[in-house]
Amino acid sequence: MAATTTATDAKRAKPQLNVYTALLTVSLLLAILGSAVVAMMNMDATGQGPFDVASGR
């Protein structure tokens, strides 16, 4: 059976990726990447875990 459409049925728009969603996604990915880089640099500086505080020199 084919579904019949009437005048009261609303057409559903396909979800589209807009500019703001793309910018938000890119900024979140960069923030995750940046925090991972900082954590790895901190591991190199302390020789311990990624969230241990380095002693001041």
Side-chain angles (χ1 to χ4, degrees):
M1 281 178 103
T4 59
T5 58
T6 61
T8 59
D9 288 340
K11 291 185 178 180
R12 300 217 180 250
K14 291 183 181 178
Q16 294 180 354
L17 182 68
N18 63 13
V19 175
Y20 299 111
T21 306
L23 287 174
L24 180 65
T25 304
V26 169
S27 66
L28 286 174
L29 289 174
L30 285 176
I32 292 169
L33 178 67
S35 61
V37 167
V38 168
M40 287 186 193
M41 290 171 56
N42 195 23
M43 285 175 62
D44 289 339
T46 61
Q48 299 174 0
F51 302 108
D52 293 330
V53 178
S55 61
R57 293 185 184 181

